Amino acid sequence: MSRNVNPTTPPDPHRLRLGTPKAKAAGVAAAVSSLYHGITKMGVSKTVKTLRTVNQHEGFDCPGCAWPDPEHRTAFEFCENGAKAVADESMAARVDADFFARHSVHDLSTWSDHRLNRAGRLAQPMYLAAGADRYAPIEWDAALDMITQHLNAMASPERGVFYTSGRTSNEAAFLYQAMVRGLGTNNLPDCSNMCHESSGKGLGQTIGIGKGTVSLEDFNHADLIMVIGQNPGTNHPRMLTALRDAKHRGTRIIHVNPLPEAGLTAFKHPQDYMKANFGSTTLADLHLPVRIGGDAALLKGLMKIMLRDGTLDSTFINEKTTGFDALVASLADEQWSTLEHESGLSRAQMEQAGRMVVASKATIACWAMGLTQHRNGVAVIQEVVNLLLMGGHIGRPGAGLCPVRGHSNVQGDRTVGIWEAPTETFLQRMEEGLGFAMPSSHGYDVVRSIEAMLEDKVDVFFCMGGNFLSATPDTKLTASALNRVGLTVQVSTKLNRSHLVTGHEALILPCLGRTEIDVQANNEQFVTVENSMGMVHTSVGGLRPASPHLKSEPWIVGQLAHRCLPDSPLPWLELIEDYDRIRDLMSVCLAGFDAYNERVRQPNGFALPNPPRDDRRFETPDGKAHFTVHPRPNLEVGAERFVLMTLRSHDQYNTTIYGLHDRYRGIHGNRRVLMMNAEDMVERGWKARTNVNITSHFEGEERHSSSWLLVPYEIPRGNLAAYFPEANELVPLRSTAALSNTPTSKWVVVSLKAAGDAANGEEE
Ligand SMILES: Nc1nc2c(c(=O)[nH]1)N[C@H]1C(S)=C(S)[C@@H](COP(=O)(O)OP(=O)(O)OC[C@H]3O[C@@H](n4cnc5c(=O)[nH]c(N)nc54)[C@H](O)[C@@H]3O)O[C@H]1N2
Ligand SMILES: Nc1nc2c(c(=O)[nH]1)N[C@H]1C(S)=C(S)[C@@H](COP(=O)(O)OP(=O)(O)OC[C@H]3O[C@@H](n4cnc5c(=O)[nH]c(N)nc54)[C@H](O)[C@@H]3O)O[C@H]1N2
Ligand SMILES: [Mo]
């Protein structure tokens, strides 16, 4: 690498401290942690002002997760981790021209992710020239002209690739896809390709829409809620409030997870302390510790029990579905001994869960990355669909499918066109609305983008947010891919490793965050977003921008499109002067967005049409919901091989590391840890903090990562867990889920070797 840049995350030099994993989530520690992060990063009065406007009707949408807001809101409608996300965006420190003059790209690459993020908000546009080792300041006009020149010089539009992370507003994302398609390509990879793509594909094929079918209100009417492969205590803390309220009404909860995640064991709402209520609620009635990848076997077991003891919704099955008989026949062939072995659960555990499934008149199934990031991600989600269809648990109160989305607007971005594989119907309407031709051939998703870069097929790589290098698999290979690109552009709020591992030339374009006031043509603007349950609503920033040089995402896209599409019929500069004009255009171009400006201004926004939920209609080619039959995945990995899942700690937002604690799991001060079953450790003579090197194995290839500290943990035998992004150098690029092409971040086959003395650093 010409700039001698380290693409992987150097360890933070702190000592690993181990406590007992917590049973209980939230509570006083969470309230203190929220305020601590706020006050240390942005000061007291700003903290209170900011936190009061999160998720309010007049405020901004929390940039944390995509969990929906209740209709009746309390004064503080945020969670500990939402507070961290807000504090992180509003922090006082600045990364400006002086900062980059002091630190070369090489120096910065020796910093940990935690330290890079702590450096502050990006404050002005910066340019890294070919061969240079330091970023230099650049004016907005010059930066936009430079991108335009590079785009104009491409031999064909496919040589441009345009990534989106999921915080981008509907308005910015809509303009962005219009610009990219105006250039003539569908190369629109996004974070969804690594996230819920398996859900989109799995649901689209079976129920005719790639989204969930429940609203928040349904949680008040469910008999049973299944939480599968998800850690809401950390990643969707406000979901625990909905689960607690359901629980108080008598709903039962099953938690399916290799780990006993804290939030589902016991939950204490931080706000209950203000009401002097000190009791905590036990949320999950049953925890099923499946082995990694064992969900398909478990779900088949539950369906066998359902067929044996349950009340099937025969009218629904006969009138609204196809494929039921084939599914019944396939389940008859499944042997309990195999299902026990593969799920890692006993027959008794499955029967206990089965009784709860059979007894429920209204079941909701929630899931996240524990299902989607597997080779059979699409298939296993379709097993969840099978189970719910049997009892007709779709399109009626208290029942339905609930993929819980990650980034706060990842669902909205897809709705408004961020998709490398758009449908013909979508393109046709877009073409009519925008008045120019749309490219019809599908573009690159995330994995294919990296492959194209490796094959020297990419000249310009533009990222609307995110941290592509650290979020994607096989860090070293992806770094070498990015190094082959002519120009890489990052529209960002915070410094990250994708600013250091770049193409020959690189630009950083700093933008406004959700929390900040956005003024265009002397008027304050608002943007709109869609939550995980298809509600579209407004988000208005209230804080002064971190720097006068910041521009809004719609402004950046509009200005660039104006330059690179001189013959376009769209008045780009007028559109970005008043976002109402963008929304008027969206009304014409997008299904379900009629009278957008008017409807989105209603206090809670509005719900997008959802045929299965609204009237049990399935827009599949034959108009029916589909039962599907899938083989069980092969879970054998061979002797001395383990299965590694890569997941999030309590102190991070994807690749943004807020701190070094994973409080609920009792792991403190060091992130380079490997959670392992204690018996597996004892068998090998290993102890807590034994230093190991990890090798991953895929189709004869090996990837190596050294110096990981073992932590004995309650995890099934043969399974391991480590944090991403550190563990991403072990994830093979081409190990992806069938159909969705999502990297299998929860299924990495590895072997371990003890590595002598630990590189366990100093006290924090
Ligand atoms: N604070 C905070 N909030 C976030 C994020 C964040 O990083 N920090 N990220 C956001 C984003 S983009 C997303 S997508 C979501 C992610 O939300 P989650 O999906 O909850 O995130 P992960 O940490 O990947 O956790 C996956 C869970 O699946 C379990 N699991 C792994 N493999 C299996 C399996 O084979 N079967 C089963 N049943 N379970 C399994 C793991 O033990 C873990 O509990 O959170 C969003 N919200
Ligand atoms: N091994 C492994 N890899 C994974 C996963 C896993 O579970 N395991 N999870 C995958 C998942 S689910 C996802 S969603 C991806 C996440 O992939 P990305 O979305 O690409 O990554 P993030 O870490 O969320 O991006 C953080 C950066 O976004 C920028 N940013 C923050 N807010 C804004 C904003 O408002 N506007 C703009 N323009 N920029 C902003 C900041 O500069 C910040 O550094 O990672 C995936 N990678
Ligand atoms: Mo995600």
Side-chain angles (χ1 to χ4, degrees), residues 89 163 165-167 191 194-195 369 373 407 464-468 471 491-496 499 511-514 553 646 648 653-656 724 728 731 745-746:
E89 187 171 292
Y163 176 72
S165 169
R167 276 196 192 171
C191 69
M194 301 180 267
C195 184
M369 298 304 102
Q373 296 174 336
H407 266 302
M464 184 55 83
N467 181 0
F468 192 84
V491 178
S492 313
T493 52
K494 300 293 293 284
L495 186 62
N496 64 47
H499 302 120
C511 67
L512 293 173
R514 271 292 163 74
E553 291 178 345
T646 59
R648 294 155 171 80
Y653 193 92
N654 299 339
T655 69
T656 300
F724 107 94
N728 260 346
V731 182
S745 304
K746 301 291 187 267

Side-chain angles (χ1 to χ4, degrees), residues 229 231 235 257 261 293 295 368-369 374 645 648 652 654 746:
N231 179 18
N235 297 313
N257 200 311
E261 302 287 28
D295 305 87
M369 298 304 102
H374 275 287
M645 56 178 172
R648 294 155 171 80
Q652 73 184 85
N654 299 339
K746 301 291 187 267

Side-chain angles (χ1 to χ4, degrees), residues 640 642 676-686 717-718:
E640 283 307 304
F642 296 85
M676 188 174 190
N677 180 290
E679 287 174 59
D680 283 341
M681 289 171 63
V682 170
E683 262 178 17
R684 289 162 185 80
W686 293 342
R717 294 199 69 171

Side-chain angles (χ1 to χ4, degrees), residues 113-343:
D113 292 333
H114 181 215
R115 189 169 168 204
L116 286 177
N117 178 61
R118 245 184 353 197
R121 275 292 291 278
L122 293 162
Q124 66 191 93
M126 300 298 298
Y127 171 57
L128 185 64
D133 188 33
R134 250 166 243 268
Y135 273 95
I138 185 171
E139 294 300 318
W140 276 103
D141 275 334
L144 293 164
D145 287 344
M146 183 185 293
I147 303 169
T148 306
Q149 278 161 17
H150 279 262
L151 290 172
N152 288 343
M154 296 188 309
S156 82
E158 282 75 42
R159 300 189 63 84
V161 177
F162 301 83
Y163 176 72
T164 313
S165 169
R167 276 196 192 171
T168 297
S169 64
N170 283 351
E171 287 75 5
F174 173 81
L175 281 190
Y176 186 52
Q177 62 87 36
M179 175 187 81
V180 172
R181 297 199 162 105
L183 287 165
T185 176
N186 283 310
N187 283 343
L188 285 160
D190 71 345
C191 69
S192 192
N193 297 148
M194 301 180 267
C195 184
H196 268 292
E197 196 69 58
S198 302
S199 305
K201 284 276 181 327
L203 296 174
Q205 287 182 341
T206 51
I207 63 163
I209 185 170
K211 299 183 183 181
T213 69
V214 295
S215 68
L216 198 49
E217 178 59 16
D218 286 313
F219 279 69
N220 299 330
H221 304 282
D223 279 347
L224 175 68
I225 300 174
M226 301 180 73
V227 181
I228 315 174
Q230 196 201 341
N231 179 18
T234 285
N235 297 313
H236 303 93
R238 287 182 305 128
M239 177 175 172
L240 297 187
T241 312
L243 292 177
R244 176 201 62 179
D245 294 348
K247 188 76 197 182
H248 286 163
R249 290 190 190 88
T251 305
R252 310 191 81 189
I253 297 171
I254 301 179
H255 175 213
V256 183
N257 200 311
L259 304 181
E261 302 287 28
L264 289 157
T265 312
F267 171 60
K268 170 89 216 125
H269 200 294
Q271 290 168 11
D272 282 351
Y273 285 97
M274 299 177 202
K275 299 178 204 146
N277 167 6
F278 296 104
S280 62
T281 311
T282 303
L283 291 179
D285 297 273
L286 179 64
H287 172 222
L288 296 174
V290 278
R291 52 193 273 219
I292 299 174
D295 305 87
L298 164 66
L299 288 159
K300 284 182 193 291
L302 294 178
M303 286 190 277
K304 278 173 86 78
I305 298 169
M306 197 51 197
L307 289 177
R308 190 191 66 205
D309 302 338
T311 321
L312 303 179
D313 189 339
S314 332
T315 321
F316 174 76
I317 294 174
N318 291 336
E319 289 175 8
K320 302 273 187 180
T321 72
T322 64
F324 183 63
D325 295 340
L327 177 68
V328 174
S330 80
L331 288 169
D333 295 337
E334 298 289 356
Q335 301 304 312
W336 280 108
S337 53
T338 318
L339 299 181
E340 284 185 297
H341 174 71
E342 298 208 339
S343 64

Side-chain angles (χ1 to χ4, degrees), residues 18 96 253 333 349 542 586 635 690 736 746:
L18 297 177
D96 51 15
I253 297 171
D333 295 337
Q349 283 171 306
M586 293 169 80
L635 302 181
T690 293
T736 58
K746 301 291 187 267

